[in-house]
Amino acid sequence: ALRMRDIEEDFSDQDISRVFEKVGLGRPITRDGVHKRKDGSDLPVEVRLVKFQWRGRPLCIALARDVTERRRLEEQLLQAQKMEAVGQLTGGVAHDFNNMLQIITTNLAFLAEDIHGNPQQMEMIKTAQTATERGSQVTHGLLAFTRQQALLPEPLDIESFVSDTVRLLRPALGETIAIETRIDQPIPRPLADRGHLQNALVNLAVNARDAMPNGGTLRLGVNAGQPSGRPPADEAAPGLDDYVVITVSDDGCGIPADVIERTTDPFFTTKGMADHSGLGLSMVLGFVRQSGGQLEIESEVGQGTTLRLYLPCAAADAAAVDVVASETPATGHERILVVEDDAAVRQALSTMLQRLGYAVAAAKDGPEALKMLERQAHDLVVTDLIMPGGLRGGDLAARAREQQPEIRVVFISGYAEAISRMAGTLHDGDEVLSKPFSTAEMAAAIRRALDHWPHSPHSSWRRSLS
């Protein structure tokens, strides 16, 4: 039974007569309280006290309702509201940051061309280019845990992918960490974004390294399977009877049971906020869920930690993609119109294309671009997706085709969500690039568009995000 001394706030440690005084006749009072179960554990309850007359005597009824589920839903709603606010902020910050990185990346490429042959200065430029790449990865990581990143899944050759990932991990883990791999055969091809999956595995491997300060073994395994919490067959997504399971395990210090449920919370870390952001596992979780998969974590203090990434399988007849980027930028002589509202980015892109041999004109927004297209025909338009002036990139492309049906378009954007929405809406021959992109990536996209290669899932917008 509910005991009055278990009720918080007004009723705590008060006798029944004082409770009667607090409750007016016919005016119920509702308070949050705590009910003690027989085993001594606490049960959150909502207590409603009602006073009434019975045979001339005042009586009070206390009704207690279990609010455990309501509290859980309220916490989930609060977390969702926080994530929505952070996501909106992150999207805007990522856009501005990607624009800045695009300017830096392009101008570093110009400097590399101009001072080619000076080893000392070239080393400085390479260091700066590496930093811009890391900055780009940071923006993708921030978008990952808010699930706004542009994922471009492809069927992966898992053996080649694991081999490349291990090669990437080796210098990051150090000599005291051994790496063991195991790939069960036969194994279906996972359907995943190559770059984001590799970033996720690097993130998990670095966590494993930190959990083994005195050395140990990192185990990377791949097999087919199903999550332990998989819904019944009639509720599962179509075609997902099986998943490709990528397992990352270590024999490190492990995670306490009372902490493990919080490890995927944004900004939660067991390593100290001074050195770590606490976004690592939340980024991985965001990527996996956005990919249509699940993440499972098992750990025992002193025994190590195991994480399993369940990724959907590609269609049985899907061919694995092996993307190879040309190191030498393709050149041309056609006329290109650059449409970009950021003046610095517009100037950088115009100079990039001029150096590639193209005749370049530039406009600050869609209306100005349409006027320029009316005065002179162009072979291709490079346009930002999100612009002021009443015409966005997609609308500008449609209006441009009304004037020149054969014109080609390369869309660019620092907004990952805008790029995601472009999937399935492109005209044959169009391309999409995510900022920041390299000169070689832009050059290849332009040549594909101008040479009218059929648009395919293997185009530059996948490579630019991976």
Side-chain angles (χ1 to χ4, degrees), residues 161-174:
F161 174 81
V162 169
S163 178
D164 291 343
T165 302
V166 169
R167 226 174 6 250
L168 182 66
L169 292 176
R170 184 65 277 170
L173 297 182

Side-chain angles (χ1 to χ4, degrees), residues 366-376 403:
E368 183 179 357
L370 287 177
K371 292 179 181 178
M372 296 177 69
L373 289 172
E374 289 175 358
R375 292 194 298 265
Q376 186 173 23
Q403 300 180 24

Side-chain angles (χ1 to χ4, degrees), residues 137 140-141 144 148-158 161 165 189-202 246 284 286-293 309-314 321 323 416 419-420 434 457 459-466:
Q137 292 173 0
H140 286 309
Q148 294 186 47
Q149 61 187 347
L151 290 184
L152 300 158
E154 57 185 299
L156 297 178
D157 182 336
I158 194 63
F161 174 81
T165 302
R189 301 188 191 280
L191 187 65
D193 184 296
R194 175 186 294 269
H196 285 106
L197 177 56
Q198 197 162 68
N199 288 341
L201 295 182
V202 169
I246 301 179
V284 175
F287 158 70
V288 171
R289 286 184 174 174
Q290 195 177 354
S291 300
L309 283 67
Y310 292 83
L311 299 171
C313 300
V321 176
V323 178
I419 293 175
S420 297
S434 172
S459 63
S460 60
W461 64 326
R462 167 164 288 129
R463 182 161 58 250
S464 68
L465 290 175
S466 62

Side-chain angles (χ1 to χ4, degrees), residues 75-120:
E75 290 176 0
Q76 288 181 348
L77 176 60
L78 180 61
Q79 181 69 3
Q81 291 172 335
K82 288 180 181 178
M83 292 296 291
E84 182 180 4
V86 171
Q88 292 174 348
L89 175 63
T90 300
V93 170
H95 170 261
D96 293 340
F97 194 47
N98 285 333
N99 270 344
M100 291 185 285
L101 287 175
Q102 184 61 61
I103 298 168
I104 296 170
T105 299
T106 304
N107 284 282
L108 285 174
F110 296 160
L111 288 173
E113 292 178 11
D114 294 343
I115 66 171
H116 187 70
N118 187 319
Q120 184 176 5

Side-chain angles (χ1 to χ4, degrees), residues 300-345:
E300 185 176 345
V301 174
Q303 301 298 316
T305 301
T306 297
L307 295 100
R308 298 183 183 90
L309 283 67
Y310 292 83
L311 299 171
C313 300
D317 57 351
V321 176
D322 185 17
V323 178
V324 179
S326 173
E327 295 182 0
T328 303
T331 59
H333 61 276
E334 289 87 349
R335 181 172 292 278
I336 297 177
L337 176 60
V338 174
V339 190
E340 166 63 58
D341 61 289
D342 188 298
V345 176

